[in-house]
Amino acid sequence: MDLPAEIGLPADLTDSPRTHILRQLERKLLWLSAWMVHNANHIRPNRDGLKVGGHQASCASVISIMAALYFEVLRPQDRIAVKPHAGPVFHAVNYLFGRQVRERMEGLRQMGGVQPYPSRVKDGDEVDFSTGSVGLGVAMTTFSALMQDYVHLHGLGRSDVPQGRHIAIAGDAELDEGNIYEALLEGWKHDVRDVWWIIDYNRQSLDSVVPDRRFGRIEGLFRDMGWDVVTLKYGRKLEAAFGREGGEDLRRWIDDCPNSLYSALTFQGGAAWRQVLLADLGRSKARAIVDELSDDELGALMTNLGGHDIEAIIDALRAADAAGDQPTCFIAYTIKGMGLPFAGHKDNHAGLMTKEQMELFRAEMGIRPGHEWDLFEGLDLPEAELGAFLRSVPFATKLTPEGRRLKAPLVAIPPALPAPKTEGRRMSTQAGFGDILAEIGRGQGPYKELAEHIVTTSPDVTVSTNLGPWVNRRGIFDRHTRNDVFRDAKLASAQRWGMSPKGQHIELGIAEQNLFLLLGAAGLTPGLDGARLLPVGTVYDPFVNRGLDALIYACYQDARFLLVSTPSGLTLAPEGGQHQSINTPLIGMAADRLASFEPTHVDELAILLRHAFHHMQQPDGSAVWLRLSTRQLDQPRRKLDPEAVIAGAHWIAPPAQGGRIAVAYQGPVAPEAEAAFAELRTEEPGAGLLAITSPDRLHAGWTAALRRRRAGERGALSHVERVLTPLAPGAALVTVLDGHPASHAWLGAVRGQRVIPLGPDRFGQSGDIPDLYREYGIDTDAILDACAQALLDL
Ligand SMILES: Cc1ncc(C[n+]2csc(CCOP(=O)(O)OP(=O)(O)O)c2C)c(N)n1
Ligand SMILES: [Mg+2]
């Protein structure tokens, strides 16, 4: 149970006064993190009988790494993604800095208390990146470092805030996540600088001890990607022992020791170490090293790993710091649960100390009952000295007077975007998007400021999503200027892809997780860099699914960006089932902090695009998603009510008062709906035709109005309620979209009307639009059949 560092230290390795203070603070972090979890599970009343949980062992392994960073090496401008399961340590660090309050620590995993995993939105301004879904927070630092460079190279950053380092404190199991390697490769392509990943190499994941030799491979991968790798394997005590006669035998023995045996012996303690060591090294000179130590001392020596030796960690970090901005991976050997009774046990991930174990631990830590939350309780230095130390460390300085979370001025968005000429043209929403953005890209007149703040990105589908013309105008971003070889050689190409630090498009490889991590990082630049970017990312609609976890992760952090997904649905007819999206409208409805739309015509698109640039800047705004299509449609000449388009629906042909039926369409199936409607009207003159631009906004508005009415606001009415009002209470709505029909099925609940929802709910296949629309029941005949059914059922 002892903390290893102070036991059996050779005379020449005694601590400097500064190291002594750091060790006291490590002790405090160990205590507070363990106690927060214990308090949440064993002290606080539990109303529902659910296990509250927490990760005392995951916290314990990273104590020295976090102490070295926060109390020595970090500067205020550095940005840190903390391993999710070290959340309590992070909060304890802030508590020591006076940036966290006891009540919220007591409320760990409770409503209003600190979250289990650091959360930007819920845990306040000290959190730079939310973590929780393992792997993503780590990779995010690569992209936030890239965006920091982008902001500074474009002169958009704050001159009073120096550039910082982007640091991930990672669990070793996070290195199993594929998104890590995708990010590494992308980071290498962009020559990303100022990134450190510090891996808490406790060789345990959730279920078990991880296989041996894994890190030999991983180290090589980092080096191949141009990273420096620093391995912190042994602490100073073990290194001193290795220097003695027979010491090399001891080193070899540990080097060869399988992870699982090492973990088991750590858990068992000194006597078990002795037994195994004597069996294996009884004839070696190393025996003398073992013999002269008590069991406790031997246990402490054998677990004196680099990641628990704060001086070794600090030395390594400082050396990397001095070496410059080279991306660096630190592999810090640690023990999961170090200093706690289940240290090394393979089942300790979610293990909690029992009340009895906690009492022993409390005594060992010198904490009196009732003083568990006292800042300096149980430490052997005067409070004044510890307090002065904490105030003196670099990270204690406020980054700016307003704190760590920066503010950025808003970018003015002109009242209307430059709408392309649509008269007499058949056009798709995707083409309209390309045209509008290209026009903004001229950077003329009212669009100059807007153009300067837009940054676009795409995972290898820049041209096929119509970003090409914008890119031709604004260039590709690269930290280094690189010519367009084809252009220089005067070879004909529609794309002019010169790269420079002034470029405004970040070209990514195909990996969609990287797209969403980059959009997340770009969408956080106001808070992280004090710069207002308007990030726009394009991707094929089906492959939103491919990066979905990272998309949700970006939204969870309240990153602000515009996602344009195109082409979409079966309308991508010849491409087949793999490329035809069905579920994306439902994702758009269910994703929080993401307002989703599907415009049909370019005039709607222009309204929504403008809305997106505005909405993503508002304090109560969100990220925005536009689902577009490549199907060319005749463009109507009409005057639209922008409010209605933004709220989610507008009548193309309003129904008669008390009308018995309406057809509602979303997206490129409009011609089929219009044709069906024209025929329907010959029999039902009171019928209506509704254009739905956003089931997501309609649904959100409706449930919000219901809530407000429940809260007593009787007049609260949502857009969809108003829109559906003219129809009779039992009227039928035949709805159609090129997406899952459940997107509209709920509309019947709004005013007690009946919905016959049409839309594909099976995998698609190759075909042309007439064949596929017929096969999946969204062509004119299918709509008319549904209308007949609705009217017969009346
Ligand atoms: C994407 C994802 N998959 C699964 C989990 C569940 N989970 C939580 S922690 C963990 C293993 C963590 O091991 P490691 O990263 O080594 O952390 P440590 O040993 O420091 O606790 C897993 C699988 C998760 N949080 N995120
Ligand atoms: Mg681990």
Side-chain angles (χ1 to χ4, degrees):
M1 273 260 274
D2 287 306
L3 287 177
E6 283 143 7
I7 307 163
L9 211 60
D12 57 336
L13 292 181
T14 47
D15 289 341
S16 69
R18 189 169 182 89
T19 306
H20 184 68
I21 295 178
L22 288 169
R23 287 202 204 286
Q24 293 290 298
L25 293 174
E26 284 183 285
R27 199 178 153 94
K28 183 47 65 178
L29 294 183
L30 182 65
W31 164 257
L32 279 174
S33 55
W35 179 253
M36 277 171 79
V37 175
H38 187 78
N39 177 69
N41 283 275
H42 294 301
I43 312 279
R44 223 165 55 195
N46 180 329
R47 293 189 302 186
D48 57 11
L50 280 184
K51 177 184 167 178
V52 177
H55 302 90
Q56 290 169 327
S58 303
C59 287
S61 69
V62 81
I63 296 284
S64 304
I65 294 169
M66 296 214 13
L69 280 169
Y70 282 92
F71 301 138
E72 263 309 319
V73 179
L74 289 182
R75 300 152 306 161
Q77 64 269 30
D78 296 332
R79 298 293 185 177
I80 307 102
V82 176
K83 170 182 99 159
H85 301 79
V89 185
F90 171 73
H91 296 302
V93 165
N94 283 309
Y95 188 55
L96 290 175
F97 278 131
R99 295 169 178 165
Q100 184 54 271
V101 295
R102 172 176 163 178
E103 291 68 40
R104 299 205 69 232
M105 314 247 294
E106 284 179 315
L108 170 71
R109 293 179 166 242
Q110 198 175 38
M111 224 171 140
V114 293
Q115 300 296 303
Y117 315 120
S119 163
R120 264 179 78 82
V121 171
K122 300 195 184 68
D123 290 332
D125 292 359
E126 300 307 317
V127 179
D128 296 325
F129 304 103
S130 303
T131 52
S133 185
V134 302
L136 295 183
V138 183
M140 183 75 158
T141 54
T142 296
F143 294 102
S144 62
L146 180 67
M147 290 321 297
Q148 174 179 260
D149 274 343
Y150 180 96
V151 159
H152 282 268
L153 290 166
H154 286 79
L156 298 170
R158 292 227 331 213
S159 50
D160 60 332
V161 178
Q163 285 193 234
R165 192 163 270 126
H166 292 237
I167 299 170
I169 303 164
D172 51 340
E174 303 201 65
L175 277 275
D176 279 335
E177 292 285 0
N179 78 273
I180 293 277
Y181 301 96
E182 294 175 357
L184 264 182
L185 193 55
E186 198 61 56
W188 171 79
K189 284 188 226 163
H190 290 277
D191 189 24
V192 163
R193 320 305 294 166
D194 280 323
V195 186
W196 282 0
W197 289 358
I198 305 172
I199 296 161
D200 175 3
Y201 186 30
N202 58 28
R203 288 148 294 150
Q204 280 184 249
S205 56
L206 194 162
D207 282 339
S208 62
V209 177
V210 301
D212 300 309
R213 295 169 45 241
R214 188 168 67 118
F215 265 63
R217 298 274 139 211
I218 285 171
E219 184 176 333
L221 280 170
F222 275 95
R223 290 197 195 283
D224 282 350
M225 297 294 165
W227 286 52
D228 281 348
V229 179
V230 178
T231 302
L232 287 158
K233 190 160 187 185
Y234 297 117
R236 289 181 312 155
K237 273 191 300 176
L238 267 177
E239 289 290 0
F242 297 153
R244 291 174 53 181
E245 207 177 358
E248 274 310 312
D249 292 343
L250 185 61
R251 180 199 294 274
R252 207 170 309 116
W253 188 89
I254 305 182
D255 279 345
D256 293 344
C257 182
N259 286 343
S260 48
L261 176 62
Y262 185 89
S263 295
L265 290 172
T266 300
F267 176 69
Q268 288 168 294
W273 280 115
R274 189 180 308 280
Q275 201 181 6
V276 176
L277 284 171
L278 289 186
D280 286 355
L281 296 177
R283 287 160 193 273
S284 156
K285 294 256 173 17
R287 179 173 185 140
I289 302 171
V290 175
D291 279 348
E292 72 188 32
L293 299 175
S294 70
D295 282 352
D296 279 352
E297 287 169 338
L298 181 60
L301 177 71
M302 295 303 289
T303 55
N304 179 236
L305 299 183
H308 296 302
D309 185 330
I310 195 161
E311 290 200 312
I313 300 168
I314 291 170
D315 285 350
L317 297 177
R318 285 211 188 293
D321 191 26
D325 60 5
Q326 175 72 2
T328 304
C329 170
F330 300 86
I331 301 173
Y333 277 68
T334 59
I335 289 162
K336 195 151 171 172
M338 185 63 172
L340 303 181
F342 39 52
H345 197 290
K346 72 182 176 69
D347 303 337
N348 67 11
H349 181 76
L352 299 173
M353 274 192 267
T354 62
K355 287 186 174 175
E356 296 69 36
Q357 288 173 323
M358 183 45 93
E359 280 315 305
L360 284 174
F361 183 57
R362 172 212 290 284
E364 197 182 321
M365 292 280 119
I367 309 285
R368 292 164 295 163
H371 293 264
E372 293 86 358
W373 301 100
D374 291 3
L375 272 184
F376 302 120
E377 173 78 1
L379 304 186
D380 69 2
L381 289 168
E383 290 191 18
E385 193 178 334
L386 289 164
F389 176 86
L390 283 168
R391 283 190 296 279
S392 74
V393 309
F395 200 72
T397 308
K398 272 186 143 190
L399 177 58
T400 65
E402 75 251 33
R404 277 188 88 60
R405 192 72 55 89
L406 307 179
K407 295 199 172 48
L410 301 185
V411 175
I413 310 298
L417 299 185
K421 295 225 176 334
T422 55
E423 280 111 80
R425 276 177 81 189
R426 286 169 65 75
M427 211 174 174
S428 69
T429 45
Q430 176 175 313
F433 164 73
D435 281 9
I436 297 174
L437 212 59
E439 204 50 39
I440 295 172
R442 285 184 194 278
Q444 312 256 302
Y447 307 115
K448 182 171 183 299
E449 189 190 358
L450 172 61
E452 282 166 0
H453 287 81
I454 291 175
V455 53
T456 58
T457 180
S458 187
D460 201 23
V461 289
T462 297
V463 175
S464 46
T465 56
N466 272 44
L467 271 181
W470 157 269
V471 175
N472 283 345
R473 298 224 154 102
R474 309 304 294 194
I476 304 244
F477 172 71
D478 197 292
R479 293 180 60 245
H480 314 281
T481 300
R482 300 178 208 272
N483 289 350
D484 179 343
V485 175
F486 271 65
R487 193 172 159 78
D488 291 352
K490 297 196 167 38
L491 297 173
S493 166
Q495 317 303 330
R496 294 191 292 278
W497 276 26
M499 303 181 183
S500 83
K502 290 288 174 218
Q504 281 180 250
H505 173 78
I506 302 177
E507 179 69 7
L508 297 173
I510 304 171
E512 282 79 13
Q513 290 243 10
N514 282 340
L515 169 74
F516 291 112
L517 287 167
L518 178 61
L519 284 176
L524 293 181
T525 49
L528 293 178
D529 302 293
R532 176 76 55 185
L533 292 180
L534 303 171
V536 180
T538 65
V539 65
Y540 293 175
D541 192 59
F543 302 129
V544 169
N545 287 293
R546 188 77 182 259
L548 191 53
D549 192 23
L551 169 61
I552 291 169
Y553 174 61
C555 294
Y556 178 68
Q557 309 198 62
D558 204 18
R560 300 301 180 83
F561 54 86
L562 168 62
L563 165 63
V564 176
S565 65
T566 182
S568 58
L570 297 168
T571 307
L572 187 58
E575 277 287 330
Q578 277 275 313
H579 279 46
Q580 292 163 343
S581 55
I582 293 173
N583 66 348
T584 44
L586 292 174
I587 295 172
M589 290 181 74
D592 191 14
R593 296 197 196 112
L594 183 61
S596 310
F597 301 89
E598 181 167 5
T600 301
H601 295 105
V602 176
D603 53 358
E604 292 170 333
L605 168 74
I607 291 169
L608 293 172
L609 202 50
R610 188 210 170 264
H611 172 66
F613 288 132
H614 173 79
H615 189 66
M616 70 168 96
Q617 301 189 60
Q618 304 308 306
D620 60 350
S622 72
V624 179
W625 178 2
L626 300 182
R627 186 179 193 243
L628 305 184
S629 169
T630 41
R631 187 180 188 191
Q632 298 190 346
L633 301 182
D634 290 327
Q635 298 297 315
R637 203 183 297 201
R638 61 186 171 181
K639 193 145 178 56
L640 287 173
D641 170 11
E643 301 269 320
V645 173
I646 292 165
H650 58 98
W651 286 110
I652 303 297
Q657 200 62 37
R660 294 201 307 155
I661 188 165
V663 173
Y665 71 80
Q666 171 178 333
V669 292
E672 285 67 26
E674 283 160 0
F677 175 70
E679 200 160 328
L680 171 68
R681 215 146 59 176
T682 59
E683 288 182 23
E684 275 289 315
L689 180 64
L690 185 70
I692 293 177
T693 48
S694 173
D696 170 46
R697 293 298 83 202
L698 291 179
H699 189 268
W702 174 51
T703 50
L706 287 174
R707 269 195 302 272
R708 281 161 61 197
R709 292 210 287 276
R710 281 203 296 281
E713 205 185 318
R714 297 184 57 186
L717 204 61
S718 63
H719 182 69
V720 66
E721 288 167 303
R722 269 192 294 270
V723 162
L724 296 180
T725 293
L727 292 170
L733 284 168
V734 172
T735 64
V736 57
L737 80 161
D738 186 356
H740 198 280
S743 315
H744 294 157
W746 60 276
L747 283 165
V750 175
R751 295 194 70 250
Q753 290 150 347
R754 294 170 308 113
V755 169
I756 300 188
L758 304 180
D761 55 6
R762 290 169 290 138
F763 287 119
Q765 57 184 304
S766 292
D768 61 7
I769 287 180
D771 274 349
L772 293 189
Y773 279 19
R774 185 175 333 108
E775 174 70 17
Y776 294 89
I778 56 175
D779 65 354
T780 303
D781 285 347
I783 299 170
L784 280 171
D785 282 352
C787 290
Q789 179 186 28
L791 289 170
L792 288 174
D793 280 0
L794 263 178

